[in-house]
């Protein structure tokens, strides 16, 4: 998946589940500063951390399920949802 395609998918997801991207593309230094992995998709612009306007657990679960149906990997981190390309 290309960066533009990924960004469009995240935009669609946030249209369905309103919220904000809190982290997208990261530099090596920023990724290290926040404890990101050396092979993080954030370094390629193919990952995003999102915070939903409604962060209730049932709503987060629905968002993760929808992301997976959109062929994205999604992980509920509690205080945010991590979205990345599905490889």
């Amino acid at each position: 998946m290309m960066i533009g395609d990924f960004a469009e998918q995240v935009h669609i997801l946030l249209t369905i589940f309103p919220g904000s991207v809190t982290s997208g593309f990261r530099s090596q230094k920023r990724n290290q500063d926040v404890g990101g992995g050396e092979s993080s998709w954030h370094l390629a612009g193919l990952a995003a951390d999102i915070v939903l306007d409604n962060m209730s657990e049932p709503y987060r679960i629905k968002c993760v399920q929808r992301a997976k149906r959109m062929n994205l990997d999604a992980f509920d981190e509690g205080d945010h949802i991590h979205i990345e390309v599905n490889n």
Side-chain angles (χ1 to χ4, degrees):
M1 181 178 293
M2 303 296 289
I3 293 173
D5 299 325
F6 175 74
E8 183 177 342
Q9 292 293 84
V10 172
H11 175 78
I12 291 168
L13 188 64
L14 287 173
T15 300
I16 300 165
F17 297 92
S20 302
V21 174
T22 58
S23 183
F25 176 82
R26 294 181 189 156
S27 67
Q28 287 277 355
K29 180 178 182 336
R30 177 68 181 149
N31 196 56
Q32 287 176 334
D33 289 350
V34 298
E38 291 181 19
S39 60
S40 171
W41 282 114
H42 283 282
L43 298 170
L46 295 171
D49 295 333
I50 62 173
V51 174
L52 305 175
D53 291 348
N54 176 355
M55 284 295 286
S56 69
E57 185 176 5
Y59 201 70
R60 292 192 323 262
I61 290 169
K62 288 179 184 178
C63 180
V64 167
Q65 290 171 340
R66 181 58 174 259
K68 290 181 178 184
R69 286 195 310 272
M70 296 169 68
N71 201 32
L72 298 168
D73 279 339
F75 309 95
D76 184 351
E77 303 283 343
D79 64 342
H80 70 277
I81 297 171
H82 175 84
I83 309 290
E84 65 183 34
V85 295
N86 183 355
N87 38 323

